[in-house]
Amino acid sequence: MYLSVKNKKSLKLRAENLTRSIEGYRREVNRFLTRRVGCADTAADIFQSVAENLLRRDPDPPIKDVRAFLYRAVKNAAFNLQRSERTRAELNVLLAPIMEEWDERSPENIIESTENVQKVEQIIQSLPVLTRQIFIMYRLHGINQKDIAEQMGVSLSTVEKHVKKALSLCFSCLYE
């Protein structure tokens, strides 16, 4: 797209005005963010990211109320950050026992795990063909039971029955 010299100057002027406006609200918005997230450095990082994104956007149409736009954008960014931190914390809680177990991997535990995998493989191979196919589709390929039923031309209850049978056999071989 070809822009005239007048249009280029107009866009440049808008960008400069926007930059001045953003800088004019920096301290105010950073104070708001610091109260919201509890850390001045995090607040400054969020503000910087929002300001960069704002300056990268197409200046047409112009932002009518830069202050309101900034507040909305930093509020959303802070919310997203807090949500991702909460999710990360929940994930860490879930993974902690697994990681502890992983750290405690002794040669005996590794051998036992290998033997368990071999037992399960033997059980899967000994399953009737239809049960084995359904189980592999469900557990190894992650296909949901409804889709398996449709693909194989059987009822959902048939798929559920075969999955339950395979799981039952696998668990019984591990906890004998």
Side-chain angles (χ1 to χ4, degrees):
M1 178 171 94
Y2 177 75
L3 291 175
S4 69
V5 173
K6 184 178 179 182
N7 284 342
K8 285 181 183 179
K9 286 182 181 178
S10 174
L11 289 176
K12 184 177 179 183
L13 183 61
R14 280 191 211 162
E16 289 171 356
N17 288 339
L18 180 59
T19 301
R20 277 194 295 280
S21 292
I22 291 170
E23 283 304 315
Y25 294 117
R26 178 182 292 273
R27 293 179 78 196
E28 175 187 344
V29 174
N30 270 333
R31 281 193 304 272
F32 164 78
L33 268 173
T34 300
R35 286 190 306 273
R36 186 137 193 134
V37 298
C39 174
D41 291 335
T42 301
D45 290 344
I46 291 172
F47 183 87
Q48 184 67 33
S49 174
V50 166
E52 287 172 4
N53 289 337
L54 187 55
L55 290 170
R56 265 192 240 119
R57 81 180 267 290
D58 186 2
D60 224 8
I63 298 170
K64 290 185 178 21
D65 187 349
V66 174
R67 182 177 183 268
F69 194 96
L70 275 172
Y71 270 92
R72 172 64 67 175
V74 298
K75 185 178 175 185
N76 290 342
F79 176 77
N80 289 340
L81 175 68
Q82 289 168 334
R83 183 177 50 199
S84 67
E85 286 175 348
R86 191 171 44 251
T87 302
R88 191 175 300 115
E90 291 169 358
L91 186 59
N92 285 340
V93 167
L94 291 173
L95 291 177
I98 295 168
M99 296 310 293
E100 287 173 14
E101 182 180 312
W102 182 261
D103 290 341
E104 296 172 3
R105 301 290 293 182
S106 66
E108 294 82 15
N109 288 343
I110 293 170
I111 290 170
E112 182 181 341
S113 295
T114 303
E115 289 171 354
N116 287 341
V117 168
Q118 290 170 347
K119 286 180 189 177
V120 170
E121 285 176 346
Q122 288 173 349
I123 292 293
I124 292 171
Q125 291 306 315
S126 70
L127 292 171
V129 175
L130 183 60
T131 304
R132 182 173 57 244
Q133 288 174 333
I134 290 172
F135 183 71
I136 288 171
M137 290 172 77
Y138 179 66
R139 294 300 289 187
L140 300 181
H141 298 294
I143 302 171
N144 70 46
Q145 292 181 4
K146 182 180 177 187
D147 290 342
I148 293 170
E150 289 174 6
Q151 288 179 24
M152 300 198 74
V154 296
S155 69
L156 179 59
S157 64
T158 299
V159 172
E160 291 169 344
K161 179 184 79 168
H162 285 284
V163 168
K164 184 177 179 181
K165 177 181 179 181
L167 285 173
S168 175
L169 288 170
C170 289
F171 283 126
S172 68
C173 88
L174 293 176
Y175 298 107
E176 291 178 331

